[in-house]
Amino acid sequence: MTYCTAVRIDAGLVFLSDSRTNAGVDQISTFRKMHVYEVPGERVMVLLSSGNLSLSQAVASSLRVQMKQATQPRRVENPADSAEQQAMMDEGRNLATATNMFSAARIVGETVRRVHAREAAALKEYGIDFNINLIFGGQIRGEPPRLFNIYAAGNFIEATPETPYFQIGESKYGKPIMDRVVDGDLSLDEAAKCCLISMDSTMKSNLSVGLPLDLLCYQTDSLRVTRQALIDAKDPYFASLRERWGAQLRKVFSELPDPAYWD
Amino acid sequence: MTYCTAVRIDAGLVFLSDSRTNAGVDQISTFRKMHVYEVPGERVMVLLSSGNLSLSQAVASSLRVQMKQATQPRRVENPADSAEQQAMMDEGRNLATATNMFSAARIVGETVRRVHAREAAALKEYGIDFNINLIFGGQIRGEPPRLFNIYAAGNFIEATPETPYFQIGESKYGKPIMDRVVDGDLSLDEAAKCCLISMDSTMKSNLSVGLPLDLLCYQTDSLRVTRQALIDAKDPYFASLRERWGAQLRKVFSELPDPAYWD
């Protein structure tokens, strides 16, 4: 299982992902689910993935290959590229050249569709759904930061002031705290704290969501990655946050008046 | 959708259920999901139901009919009774005669299986699963209170000191608070407060879980229902609990230190 969440606030964007992958309970591994695409001073984009790992890795690396080849003076023809991939590369459409985040989200969506065209039928023969769900956000110079949720069909929705965050994977345990706290006025650090508490609630209730965590806080208009942390079991801040949040919650609980329906 | 939860503590049992039923978003109704079977001074049992309403109503009323007919001096033969139902009634096995809660849970499980035998095939023709999930608990004189989770196949598990609560229906949003707070030492009122906060988190995140709520607190060895409340939108305690819990949560959140990974 997976839990990833991202928040769009005035101060920027916060991305948080766990790294546990499992196929059954006896095959558990650690894979990073955060992929960063950066052209320093010009654009920063972050992709969080849930679903079938082979599919999300295919999408993430395909996006990177497109970017890389675009920066080479002459692209090397690769006979393994699909016609659509070649067409996209010929048109020079990739995350490095997209003129705005909406176009970038479309490129991610098209890449998902290409992976679908290549993989879905074979997976279906084994009874495996084409299961992928992505959060994609960032900023391209000249635009404010934007945040998207991209589905398996390649279509997507964008975060708005009313719904400023997205969750993918095991989202329910960690939703109540997001609903109560997330607000456009939060500072980047506060939004990160909220995501970490939401992750803690999820990890407590679902063993298949686990450490280490990737946290990235993007500051509006910085156009480069300056705040990124890998949070593991020895991380003192996260350990203290988990303990204090739990203790304070129990304290608030005990201080609230008991029901008096039958006194 | 539905959310029901029940807790077994030393002081007794707490049962809480919502009452919203929906078939699509444009067909929403209010149905009570708590059924009480009581022989004052001798036994109290409570059934909470989720899943297909027609099935849970069939199980709940079948259990009541069995109890009623057992108290009549001579049972009237009903040609509509299935062979198994007749057999159970002939053997006098029902919630009023069960000698312990394990037997009572088996009677509920058998009743679920009878409803399955009668309904499942017809439902399947319409592509409808036999979907029912029950919480069943109470006390029979001579035994401590016990609590069970009974599945659609009629099998069941019992709450233990390590896992003293069950949830059915939309269970995830309200699980973190239960995991943090529920403990055998809680008072009945504290356990009720915990269930109500868990319900609040669920109602905030899933519109198809809704008021009014049925709350029943059973005191160990009372062997009768003394504490039962119907909580609607005008209930001052629940309204204040929701507001104060939300406000305190935000206060605790703001008081916890922010992450300092990049200072």
Side-chain angles (χ1 to χ4, degrees):
Chain A
M1 204 65 193
T2 289
Y3 178 48
C4 302
T5 184
V7 182
R8 196 194 70 169
I9 49 180
D10 297 340
L13 298 164
V14 173
F15 300 89
L16 181 68
S17 58
D18 88 311
S19 62
R20 190 158 293 173
T21 300
N22 71 307
V25 289
D26 57 352
Q27 197 176 341
I28 293 181
S29 337
T30 299
F31 282 99
R32 314 283 288 271
K33 298 163 191 172
M34 181 183 287
H35 307 272
V36 181
Y37 306 90
E38 184 187 15
V39 181
E42 220 243 296
R43 62 187 63 206
V44 168
M45 297 171 203
V46 179
L47 184 72
L48 305 178
S49 60
S50 77
N52 188 303
L53 183 66
S54 70
L55 301 177
S56 50
Q57 284 192 345
V59 168
S61 64
S62 190
L63 290 168
R64 203 169 297 285
V65 166
Q66 291 163 21
M67 265 182 94
K68 216 179 203 166
Q69 298 203 338
T71 60
Q72 289 172 343
R74 239 194 101 179
R75 188 165 67 76
V76 183
E77 293 281 333
N78 180 353
D81 288 344
S82 67
E84 298 89 337
Q85 171 104 354
Q86 295 219 10
M88 274 177 78
M89 287 195 283
D90 289 342
E91 293 164 26
R93 288 192 296 128
N94 62 68
L95 296 188
T97 58
T99 51
N100 57 60
M101 282 299 295
F102 186 88
S103 298
R106 279 196 58 189
I107 288 168
V108 177
E110 285 171 38
T111 305
V112 171
R113 286 171 184 167
R114 272 210 318 282
V115 172
H116 182 274
R118 200 175 66 207
E119 305 288 342
L123 292 178
K124 201 173 176 183
E125 282 197 22
Y126 289 84
I128 300 170
D129 283 338
F130 185 84
N131 173 21
I132 185 170
N133 197 357
L134 303 168
I135 293 175
F136 177 69
Q139 184 176 22
I140 293 175
R141 183 199 292 279
E143 249 201 346
R146 297 172 73 175
L147 184 65
F148 301 88
N149 184 181
I150 301 175
Y151 303 112
N155 57 332
F156 53 82
I157 57 172
E158 181 170 5
T160 61
E162 295 75 34
T163 304
Y165 73 89
F166 290 125
Q167 303 171 295
I168 55 177
E170 180 61 282
S171 62
K172 292 188 178 184
Y173 299 118
K175 190 166 186 289
I177 181 66
M178 304 291 286
D179 282 335
R180 287 186 202 273
V181 170
V182 170
D183 181 25
D185 295 339
L186 292 184
S187 73
L188 264 187
D189 283 345
E190 284 172 327
K193 184 169 66 171
C194 177
C195 292
L196 287 169
I197 291 174
S198 173
M199 179 65 79
D200 172 43
S201 297
T202 309
M203 284 169 46
K204 266 187 90 75
S205 291
N206 188 330
L207 285 183
S208 71
V209 173
L211 297 171
L213 311 178
D214 277 305
L215 173 65
L216 191 153
C217 293
Y218 172 76
Q219 269 182 295
T220 299
D221 294 335
S222 66
L223 296 170
R224 63 191 70 231
V225 175
T226 55
R227 302 181 172 190
Q228 194 172 10
L230 180 68
I231 299 171
D232 62 17
K234 287 172 295 191
D235 185 89
Y237 172 75
F238 189 53
S240 138
L241 185 73
R242 301 182 79 174
E243 195 204 309
R244 289 172 70 169
W245 175 252
Q248 289 296 312
L249 226 59
R250 282 187 291 273
K251 182 161 172 282
V252 166
F253 175 80
S254 68
E255 286 169 0
L256 285 175
D258 289 340
Y261 293 114
W262 27 77
D263 290 344
Chain B
M1 202 68 194
T2 287
Y3 178 49
C4 301
T5 184
V7 182
R8 197 195 69 169
I9 50 179
D10 298 340
L13 300 164
V14 173
F15 300 89
L16 180 67
S17 58
D18 88 311
S19 61
R20 190 159 294 172
T21 300
N22 70 306
V25 290
D26 57 351
Q27 196 176 341
I28 293 180
S29 337
T30 299
F31 282 98
R32 314 284 287 271
K33 298 162 192 172
M34 180 182 288
H35 307 271
V36 181
Y37 305 91
E38 183 186 17
V39 181
E42 220 243 295
R43 62 188 62 208
V44 169
M45 298 171 204
V46 179
L47 184 73
L48 305 179
S49 60
S50 76
N52 187 304
L53 183 66
S54 71
L55 301 177
S56 50
Q57 284 192 345
V59 169
S61 66
S62 192
L63 290 168
R64 202 170 296 286
V65 166
Q66 291 163 21
M67 266 182 94
K68 215 180 205 167
Q69 296 202 340
T71 60
Q72 287 173 347
R74 239 194 101 180
R75 188 165 68 75
V76 183
E77 294 282 332
N78 180 353
D81 287 343
S82 68
E84 298 89 338
Q85 170 105 353
Q86 293 218 13
M88 274 178 78
M89 286 197 282
D90 289 342
E91 293 163 28
R93 288 191 297 129
N94 62 68
L95 296 188
T97 58
T99 52
N100 57 60
M101 281 300 294
F102 186 87
S103 299
R106 278 195 58 190
I107 288 168
V108 177
E110 287 172 36
T111 305
V112 171
R113 286 171 183 166
R114 271 211 319 280
V115 172
H116 182 274
R118 201 174 64 207
E119 305 288 342
L123 290 179
K124 202 172 176 184
E125 284 198 23
Y126 288 85
I128 299 170
D129 284 339
F130 185 84
N131 172 22
I132 184 170
N133 197 359
L134 303 168
I135 293 175
F136 177 69
Q139 184 175 23
I140 293 175
R141 182 199 291 277
E143 250 200 346
R146 297 171 73 174
L147 184 65
F148 301 88
N149 185 183
I150 302 175
Y151 304 111
N155 57 332
F156 53 83
I157 57 172
E158 182 171 4
T160 61
E162 295 75 33
T163 305
Y165 73 89
F166 290 125
Q167 302 173 295
I168 54 176
E170 179 61 281
S171 62
K172 293 187 176 184
Y173 300 118
K175 190 166 186 290
I177 181 67
M178 304 292 285
D179 282 336
R180 287 187 200 272
V181 170
V182 170
D183 180 26
D185 296 339
L186 292 184
S187 73
L188 266 186
D189 282 345
E190 284 172 327
K193 184 169 66 172
C194 178
C195 292
L196 287 168
I197 291 174
S198 173
M199 180 65 79
D200 172 42
S201 297
T202 310
M203 283 169 46
K204 267 187 89 73
S205 291
N206 188 330
L207 284 183
S208 70
V209 173
L211 297 170
L213 312 177
D214 276 305
L215 173 66
L216 191 152
C217 293
Y218 173 77
Q219 269 183 296
T220 298
D221 296 335
S222 66
L223 296 170
R224 64 191 71 231
V225 175
T226 55
R227 301 180 172 190
Q228 194 172 10
L230 180 68
I231 299 171
D232 61 17
K234 285 173 295 189
D235 186 88
Y237 172 75
F238 189 54
S240 139
L241 184 73
R242 303 182 79 173
E243 194 204 312
R244 289 171 70 170
W245 176 252
Q248 289 295 311
L249 226 60
R250 283 187 290 273
K251 182 160 170 284
V252 166
F253 174 81
S254 68
E255 286 169 359
L256 285 175
D258 288 339
Y261 293 113
W262 27 77
D263 291 344

